[in-house]
Amino acid sequence: MTDILVELMKEYGYIILYFWSILEGESGLIMAGLLSSTGDMNLYISIFIAGLGGFTGDQIYFYIGRYNKKYVHKKFKGQRRKFALAHLLLKKHGWPIIFIQRYMYGMRTVIPIAIGLTRYDAKKFAIINLLSAWTWGAITIVPVWYFGEEILAVLKVAKEYWYVAIPFALGIGGSIYYYFTKATKKRVNKG
């Protein structure tokens, strides 16, 4: 499966990276960084394309909030707390929250939708969002590109010793998931 993905990324890398960045992003950016380190993709074009994809995704979320308020309130009923937090963050911090929202676990899609629900200027949001998306692309792709050989060496060892690598990866992934689930849960005061 991974070999097929790598071959597709080599042949259609920039197209895949664009759409991957619209939907989710980080794993596609890591793959682009690795392919840039091997010379199969260009580092600067990868950052540019990834930024455009991230920008497009957040613009879609923004306009969903802007023009589908009833749908958003109905569909995201269980996310009311996150929407309230997004509004508070926007009021308290202003435009920097737009810039850093893509690094906030569990808030990446909520914040653009929440901003779309407000009367925030769409042009201002688009400019900040585009700069943020290119920064996000660079911050993720460049370190992977720089440490590409080392990462590929680790992946080669992990592929050879998969029976150790899989439980290790599941343990790390489970720990991260547990931490973020615990950190974002509503705190109940017992008194």
Side-chain angles (χ1 to χ4, degrees):
M1 177 67 180
T2 307
D3 296 333
I4 294 170
L5 185 60
V6 170
E7 289 304 315
L8 285 172
M9 285 291 286
K10 284 181 182 179
E11 191 165 339
Y12 305 105
Y14 300 113
I15 296 168
I16 293 170
L17 178 61
Y18 175 76
F19 287 105
W20 207 331
S21 297
I22 289 173
L23 298 174
E24 182 257 325
E26 282 77 10
S27 54
L29 270 62
I30 291 168
M31 187 70 93
L34 286 173
L35 290 172
S36 293
S37 76
T38 62
D40 292 309
M41 290 178 79
N42 179 286
L43 175 67
Y44 303 107
I45 295 173
S46 296
I47 292 168
F48 182 77
I49 297 295
L52 288 181
F55 167 78
T56 302
D58 287 350
Q59 289 299 117
I60 290 169
Y61 295 132
F62 176 83
Y63 284 108
I64 286 172
R66 179 65 44 105
Y67 295 113
N68 297 298
K69 292 180 182 183
K70 288 181 182 177
Y71 171 79
V72 169
H73 288 300
K74 180 181 172 188
K75 187 73 173 170
F76 295 100
K77 206 175 197 174
Q79 303 287 333
R80 284 185 186 174
R81 188 170 157 262
K82 285 185 180 182
F83 278 103
L85 176 60
H87 283 283
L88 289 173
L89 290 171
L90 183 62
K91 277 185 175 181
K92 184 175 182 181
H93 301 289
W95 71 266
I97 206 66
I98 298 168
F99 199 83
I100 63 167
Q101 58 87 15
R102 59 184 80 251
Y103 308 103
M104 298 173 67
Y105 176 79
M107 299 295 285
R108 184 166 175 191
T109 57
V110 171
I111 289 179
I113 293 171
I115 294 171
L117 292 170
T118 67
R119 295 180 186 201
Y120 199 85
D121 182 46
K123 192 180 287 187
K124 186 176 179 182
F125 177 80
I127 292 167
I128 296 167
N129 183 29
L130 182 59
L131 295 173
S132 169
W134 279 330
T135 303
W136 165 73
I139 286 173
T140 309
I141 292 174
V142 170
V144 175
W145 165 78
Y146 186 79
F147 293 107
E149 289 181 29
E150 292 82 1
I151 293 169
L152 290 171
V154 168
L155 290 175
K156 185 177 179 184
V157 170
K159 190 174 182 180
E160 187 175 334
Y161 298 102
W162 60 269
Y163 48 88
V164 175
I166 289 176
F168 182 74
L170 288 173
I172 298 259
S175 298
I176 292 169
Y177 176 78
Y178 176 76
Y179 170 76
F180 282 120
T181 303
K182 195 87 165 159
T184 59
K185 261 202 172 134
K186 189 176 182 180
R187 298 185 194 275
V188 179
N189 293 332
K190 294 181 180 179

